[in-house]
Amino acid sequence: MTLLLSPNAWWVLLSMLILGVASGMIGTLAYWKRQSLMSDALSHAALPGVVIAFAITGVKALPILILGAALSALIGAFLVQWVVSSSRIKEDTAMGIVLSVFFGLGIMLLTIVNRTGGGNVSGLDGFIFGQAASMVRSDVYTMGILGLLVIAVVYAAFKEWKLYLFDPQFAKGIGLPSGLMNSLYTGVLVLVIVIGIQAVGVILMSALLIIPAVSARYWTHSFKWMLIGSAFIGGGAGVAGTLISTMGKGWPTGPFIVVSSSAVFLVSLLFGARKGLVVTAIQQRMQKRSPRALPAEAEKSMVKEGGLQ
Amino acid sequence: MQGLAVTDLSASYRKNNVLEDVSFELPQGSLTGIVGPNGAGKSTLLKTMLELHPKLSGTVTFAGAPLSKMRRKIGYVPQRGSVDWDFPTDALDVVLMGLYGAVGWLKRPKAGHRQQALQALAQMGMADYADRQISQLSGGQQQRVFLARALVQDAELYFMDEPLAGVDAATEQAIMTTLRELKGRGKSVMVVHHDLQTVEDYFDHVLLLNRRVMNYGETAEIFTKDNVYRTYGAGLRWRKEVPS
């Protein structure tokens, strides 16, 4: 528990809580935008930007590294769009290409910088699996403030996000600026990824986005509560993973966050109040016992046939 | 008050022309069916008029102003299959979305808005389903929710994309009653429609569409066997002449 003894400890935990909450919220947006995999591609795409930003400036200052990561991730997002619109390649394949090419490039650059840069660069390795304990006070502030900004954007436009995700065509029809919403969505997604990669790492950052949202889905039928639940699970996993990773010297943070959130997912999958496997099995058994208790909405709909074949 | 005027509207989809020089004028207080074969550009016409799909050329005006300036006066019912009904929300919440323009961006709906949404649901015979999960509604009930969402918009002009596709008979009647009532209140309604058997009963105007306007006008004059054959080409079953 070396971290808890340091003066930074509580600040690191607080900022991990904010990061987890922000990730959980953005993950819910990505889930309904059907872009869970996109978050994975973007976090991998951030790595070369981090290394290049460091190579150019020679200092390991988080704001500069975040800027590099954001640029690199945005280029990745743009490339995915470009590949999809200018070829027959589907989006999932395009994301697969961008993810591996950017990550490979990042590792290659990291190796070169490590060989030439001397001892100053050792901390960059932490961006792969995450090293929350390596954050200094100013890193914590940067992460916390940007995380709060992301949370505020989701909170303020809650009803707009819901409309945009549920029925984008209708949204556009009643005048919701869809171009702005698209940019805002990509903006908050990239922002939450780049502020998280130092602590969680580029490889596993997407887990903090995807797993809380999927877990929360098992507990509620309301978008609002899914958003809140996902924020709660994300925040919890962020704090728990960070705490566990401080128990051993040099233990990475990312994997422990993934293990924590996966534990919540497993419980949700089995015992979730909505669609949880155990609950569903009990419901089915009860229905078998009373075959007459059919739901009222099971009325057959008579499909009209047009005059066409 | 001038109605909807469309002049030389053209649009393409993946480099294929799907709409060519579409022109027509819609009188106020009319109920118009858009009829044509698959791939005729019926949905694309609605989307292009609403600027949801980019146009290549042409103009669309409503009451003399471009449609983009009249969004609050236009109600839109997308195809039921265009959204994911697994989305976690209830019927009332979907209807409330029709009021988001009136509520104002970044503001939360108030009790009055909720009341309006409940009334619209009641009008569609869905009062008992307000807090029902949308994933647990039947196809007909989902379509009624979409109609209720359009009703709360209190628009002057309505575009509806196949509201009668795959719904039960009771829902079809409920929707038609609502459309006739809208027409009675001087609103204009354009409906993409698939069922040739019911065109004469349901619509006072018909737009026969196959990439271009084949015929447009009052149903009694336009909806003839010759015109419909010309629109659909070969292979059409006309009424009950051919046993199915």
Coordinates of all heavy atoms in Angstrom, one line a residue, chain B residues 43-92:
Chain B
S43 N -38.8 6.7 -50.1 CA -38.3 7.2 -48.9 C -37.2 8.3 -49.1 O -37.1 9.2 -48.3 CB -37.6 6.0 -48.1 OG -38.5 5.0 -47.7
T44 N -36.5 8.1 -50.2 CA -35.4 9.1 -50.5 C -36.1 10.4 -50.8 O -35.5 11.5 -50.4 CB -34.6 8.6 -51.7 OG1 -34.2 7.3 -51.5 CG2 -33.4 9.5 -51.9
L45 N -37.3 10.4 -51.4 CA -37.9 11.7 -51.7 C -38.3 12.4 -50.3 O -38.0 13.6 -50.2 CB -39.2 11.4 -52.5 CG -40.1 12.7 -52.7 CD1 -39.4 13.7 -53.4 CD2 -41.4 12.3 -53.4
L46 N -38.8 11.7 -49.4 CA -39.1 12.3 -48.1 C -37.8 12.8 -47.4 O -37.8 13.9 -46.9 CB -39.8 11.3 -47.1 CG -41.2 10.8 -47.4 CD1 -41.7 10.0 -46.2 CD2 -42.1 11.9 -47.8
K47 N -36.8 12.0 -47.4 CA -35.5 12.4 -46.8 C -34.9 13.5 -47.5 O -34.3 14.4 -46.8 CB -34.6 11.2 -46.7 CG -35.0 10.1 -45.7 CD -34.0 9.0 -45.7 CE -34.6 7.8 -44.9 NZ -33.8 6.6 -45.1
T48 N -35.0 13.6 -48.8 CA -34.3 14.7 -49.5 C -35.1 16.0 -49.3 O -34.5 17.0 -49.1 CB -34.3 14.4 -51.0 OG1 -33.7 13.1 -51.2 CG2 -33.4 15.4 -51.7
M49 N -36.4 15.9 -49.2 CA -37.2 17.1 -48.9 C -36.8 17.6 -47.5 O -36.8 18.8 -47.3 CB -38.7 16.8 -49.0 CG -39.2 16.6 -50.4 SD -41.0 16.6 -50.6 CE -41.5 15.1 -49.7
L50 N -36.6 16.7 -46.6 CA -36.3 17.1 -45.2 C -34.8 17.5 -45.1 O -34.3 17.8 -44.0 CB -36.6 16.0 -44.2 CG -38.1 15.9 -43.8 CD1 -38.3 14.5 -43.2 CD2 -38.4 17.0 -42.8
E51 N -34.0 17.3 -46.1 CA -32.6 17.5 -46.1 C -31.8 16.5 -45.2 O -30.8 16.8 -44.7 CB -32.2 19.0 -45.7 CG -32.7 20.0 -46.8 CD -32.5 21.4 -46.4 OE1 -31.7 21.6 -45.5 OE2 -33.0 22.3 -47.1
L52 N -32.4 15.3 -45.0 CA -31.7 14.3 -44.3 C -30.8 13.5 -45.3 O -29.9 12.8 -44.9 CB -32.7 13.3 -43.7 CG -33.8 13.8 -42.8 CD1 -34.7 12.7 -42.3 CD2 -33.1 14.5 -41.6
H53 N -31.1 13.7 -46.6 CA -30.4 13.1 -47.7 C -30.0 14.3 -48.6 O -30.8 15.1 -48.9 CB -31.2 12.1 -48.4 CG -30.5 11.3 -49.5 ND1 -29.8 10.2 -49.2 CD2 -30.3 11.6 -50.8 CE1 -29.2 9.7 -50.3 NE2 -29.5 10.6 -51.3
P54 N -28.7 14.3 -49.0 CA -28.3 15.5 -49.8 C -29.0 15.5 -51.2 O -29.1 14.5 -51.8 CB -26.8 15.3 -50.0 CG -26.5 13.8 -49.7 CD -27.6 13.4 -48.8
K55 N -29.4 16.7 -51.6 CA -30.0 16.8 -52.9 C -28.9 17.2 -53.9 O -27.9 17.9 -53.6 CB -31.1 17.8 -52.9 CG -30.7 19.2 -52.6 CD -31.9 20.2 -52.6 CE -31.4 21.6 -52.2 NZ -32.4 22.5 -51.9
L56 N -29.1 16.8 -55.2 CA -28.2 17.3 -56.3 C -28.6 18.7 -56.8 O -27.8 19.5 -57.1 CB -28.2 16.3 -57.4 CG -27.6 14.9 -57.1 CD1 -27.8 14.0 -58.3 CD2 -26.1 15.0 -56.8
S57 N -29.9 18.8 -56.9 CA -30.4 20.1 -57.4 C -31.9 20.2 -57.0 O -32.5 19.3 -56.5 CB -30.3 20.2 -58.9 OG -31.0 19.1 -59.5
G58 N -32.5 21.4 -57.2 CA -33.9 21.6 -57.0 C -34.2 22.4 -55.7 O -33.2 22.6 -54.9
T59 N -35.4 22.8 -55.6 CA -35.8 23.5 -54.4 C -37.0 22.9 -53.7 O -37.9 22.3 -54.4 CB -36.1 25.0 -54.7 OG1 -37.1 25.0 -55.7 CG2 -34.9 25.8 -55.2
V60 N -37.1 23.1 -52.4 CA -38.3 22.6 -51.7 C -38.7 23.8 -50.8 O -37.9 24.3 -50.0 CB -38.0 21.4 -50.8 CG1 -39.2 21.0 -50.1 CG2 -37.4 20.3 -51.6
T61 N -39.9 24.3 -51.0 CA -40.4 25.4 -50.1 C -41.7 25.0 -49.5 O -42.5 24.2 -50.0 CB -40.6 26.7 -50.9 OG1 -41.6 26.5 -51.9 CG2 -39.3 27.2 -51.5
F62 N -41.9 25.5 -48.3 CA -43.2 25.3 -47.6 C -43.6 26.7 -47.1 O -42.9 27.4 -46.5 CB -43.0 24.4 -46.4 CG -44.3 24.1 -45.7 CD1 -45.4 23.5 -46.3 CD2 -44.5 24.6 -44.4 CE1 -46.6 23.3 -45.7 CE2 -45.7 24.4 -43.7 CZ -46.8 23.7 -44.4
A63 N -44.9 27.0 -47.5 CA -45.4 28.4 -47.2 C -44.5 29.5 -47.7 O -44.3 30.5 -47.1 CB -45.7 28.5 -45.7
G64 N -43.8 29.2 -48.9 CA -43.0 30.2 -49.5 C -41.5 30.2 -48.9 O -40.7 30.9 -49.5
A65 N -41.3 29.5 -47.8 CA -39.9 29.6 -47.2 C -39.2 28.2 -47.4 O -39.9 27.2 -47.5 CB -40.0 29.9 -45.7
P66 N -37.9 28.2 -47.5 CA -37.2 27.0 -47.6 C -37.5 26.1 -46.4 O -37.7 26.6 -45.3 CB -35.7 27.4 -47.5 CG -35.6 28.8 -47.5 CD -37.0 29.4 -47.4
L67 N -37.5 24.8 -46.6 CA -38.0 23.9 -45.6 C -37.1 23.9 -44.3 O -37.6 23.7 -43.2 CB -38.0 22.4 -46.1 CG -39.2 21.6 -45.8 CD1 -40.4 22.3 -46.5 CD2 -39.1 20.2 -46.3
S68 N -35.8 24.2 -44.5 CA -34.9 24.2 -43.4 C -35.3 25.3 -42.4 O -34.9 25.2 -41.2 CB -33.5 24.4 -43.9 OG -33.4 25.5 -44.7
K69 N -36.0 26.3 -42.8 CA -36.4 27.4 -41.9 C -37.8 27.1 -41.3 O -38.3 27.9 -40.5 CB -36.5 28.7 -42.7 CG -35.2 29.2 -43.2 CD -35.0 30.7 -43.2 CE -33.6 31.1 -43.4 NZ -33.3 31.3 -44.8
M70 N -38.4 26.0 -41.7 CA -39.7 25.7 -41.2 C -39.8 24.4 -40.4 O -40.8 23.8 -40.3 CB -40.7 25.5 -42.5 CG -40.7 26.7 -43.4 SD -41.4 28.1 -42.7 CE -43.1 27.7 -42.7
R71 N -38.6 24.0 -39.8 CA -38.5 22.7 -39.2 C -39.6 22.4 -38.1 O -40.1 21.3 -38.0 CB -37.2 22.4 -38.6 CG -36.1 22.3 -39.7 CD -35.0 21.3 -39.2 NE -34.0 21.1 -40.2 CZ -34.0 20.3 -41.2 NH1 -35.0 19.5 -41.3 NH2 -33.0 20.2 -42.0
R72 N -39.9 23.5 -37.4 CA -40.9 23.3 -36.3 C -42.3 23.1 -36.9 O -43.2 22.7 -36.2 CB -40.9 24.6 -35.5 CG -39.6 24.8 -34.6 CD -39.6 23.9 -33.4 NE -40.6 24.3 -32.4 CZ -40.4 25.3 -31.6 NH1 -39.3 25.9 -31.5 NH2 -41.3 25.6 -30.7
K73 N -42.5 23.4 -38.2 CA -43.8 23.2 -38.7 C -44.0 21.9 -39.5 O -45.0 21.6 -40.1 CB -44.1 24.3 -39.8 CG -44.0 25.7 -39.2 CD -45.4 26.4 -39.2 CE -45.4 27.7 -38.6 NZ -46.0 27.7 -37.3
I74 N -42.9 21.1 -39.4 CA -42.9 19.8 -40.1 C -42.7 18.6 -39.2 O -41.8 18.6 -38.4 CB -41.8 19.8 -41.2 CG1 -42.0 20.9 -42.2 CG2 -41.7 18.5 -41.9 CD1 -40.8 21.3 -43.0
G75 N -43.6 17.7 -39.3 CA -43.6 16.4 -38.5 C -43.1 15.3 -39.4 O -43.4 15.2 -40.6
Y76 N -42.2 14.4 -38.8 CA -41.7 13.3 -39.6 C -41.8 12.0 -38.9 O -41.5 12.0 -37.7 CB -40.2 13.7 -39.9 CG -39.4 12.6 -40.6 CD1 -39.9 11.9 -41.7 CD2 -38.1 12.2 -40.1 CE1 -39.2 11.0 -42.4 CE2 -37.4 11.3 -40.8 CZ -37.9 10.6 -41.9 OH -37.2 9.7 -42.5
V77 N -42.3 11.0 -39.6 CA -42.4 9.7 -39.0 C -41.5 8.8 -39.8 O -41.8 8.4 -40.9 CB -43.9 9.2 -39.0 CG1 -43.9 7.8 -38.4 CG2 -44.8 10.1 -38.3
P78 N -40.3 8.5 -39.3 CA -39.4 7.6 -40.0 C -40.0 6.2 -40.1 O -40.9 5.8 -39.4 CB -38.1 7.6 -39.2 CG -38.3 8.6 -38.2 CD -39.7 8.8 -38.0
Q79 N -39.4 5.3 -40.9 CA -39.7 3.9 -41.0 C -39.5 3.3 -39.6 O -38.5 3.6 -39.0 CB -38.9 3.2 -42.0 CG -39.5 3.3 -43.4 CD -38.7 2.5 -44.4 OE1 -38.1 1.5 -44.0 NE2 -38.8 2.9 -45.6
R80 N -40.4 2.5 -39.2 CA -40.4 1.9 -37.9 C -39.0 1.1 -37.7 O -38.4 1.1 -36.6 CB -41.5 0.9 -37.6 CG -41.6 0.3 -36.3 CD -43.1 -0.1 -36.0 NE -43.6 -1.0 -37.1 CZ -43.3 -2.3 -37.1 NH1 -42.6 -2.9 -36.2 NH2 -43.8 -3.1 -38.1
G81 N -38.6 0.5 -38.8 CA -37.4 -0.3 -38.7 C -36.1 0.5 -38.7 O -35.0 -0.1 -38.6
S82 N -36.2 1.8 -38.7 CA -35.0 2.6 -38.8 C -34.4 2.9 -37.4 O -33.3 3.4 -37.3 CB -35.3 4.0 -39.5 OG -36.1 4.8 -38.6
V83 N -35.1 2.5 -36.4 CA -34.5 2.7 -35.0 C -34.4 1.3 -34.3 O -35.0 0.3 -34.7 CB -35.3 3.6 -34.1 CG1 -35.5 5.0 -34.8 CG2 -36.7 3.0 -33.8
D84 N -33.6 1.3 -33.3 CA -33.4 0.1 -32.5 C -34.3 0.1 -31.3 O -34.2 0.9 -30.4 CB -31.9 0.1 -32.0 CG -31.6 -1.2 -31.2 OD1 -32.5 -2.0 -31.0 OD2 -30.4 -1.4 -30.8
W85 N -35.4 -0.8 -31.4 CA -36.4 -0.7 -30.4 C -35.9 -1.4 -29.1 O -36.7 -1.4 -28.1 CB -37.7 -1.4 -30.9 CG -38.3 -0.6 -31.9 CD1 -38.1 -0.7 -33.3 CD2 -39.2 0.5 -31.8 NE1 -38.8 0.3 -33.9 CE2 -39.5 1.1 -33.0 CE3 -39.7 1.2 -30.6 CZ2 -40.3 2.2 -33.2 CZ3 -40.6 2.3 -30.8 CH2 -40.9 2.7 -32.1
D86 N -34.7 -1.9 -29.0 CA -34.1 -2.4 -27.8 C -33.6 -1.2 -27.0 O -33.2 -1.4 -25.8 CB -32.9 -3.3 -28.2 CG -33.1 -4.6 -27.5 OD1 -34.1 -4.9 -26.9 OD2 -32.2 -5.5 -27.6
F87 N -33.6 0.0 -27.5 CA -33.0 1.1 -26.8 C -33.8 1.3 -25.4 O -35.0 1.2 -25.4 CB -33.2 2.4 -27.6 CG -32.5 3.6 -27.1 CD1 -31.1 3.8 -27.4 CD2 -33.1 4.5 -26.2 CE1 -30.4 4.9 -26.9 CE2 -32.4 5.6 -25.7 CZ -31.1 5.8 -26.1
P88 N -33.1 1.5 -24.3 CA -33.8 1.5 -23.0 C -34.6 2.7 -22.8 O -34.0 3.7 -22.2 CB -32.6 1.4 -22.0 CG -31.4 1.9 -22.7 CD -31.6 1.7 -24.2
T89 N -35.8 2.7 -23.1 CA -36.7 3.9 -22.8 C -38.1 3.4 -22.9 O -38.4 2.3 -23.4 CB -36.4 5.0 -23.8 OG1 -37.1 6.2 -23.3 CG2 -36.9 4.7 -25.2
D90 N -39.1 4.2 -22.5 CA -40.5 3.9 -22.5 C -41.3 4.7 -23.5 O -40.7 5.7 -24.1 CB -41.1 4.0 -21.1 CG -41.0 5.3 -20.5 OD1 -41.1 6.3 -21.2 OD2 -40.8 5.4 -19.3
A91 N -42.5 4.3 -23.7 CA -43.3 4.9 -24.8 C -43.5 6.4 -24.6 O -43.3 7.2 -25.5 CB -44.7 4.3 -24.8
L92 N -43.7 6.8 -23.3 CA -43.9 8.3 -23.1 C -42.7 9.1 -23.4 O -42.8 10.2 -24.0 CB -44.3 8.5 -21.6 CG -44.5 9.9 -21.2 CD1 -45.8 10.4 -21.8 CD2 -44.6 10.1 -19.7

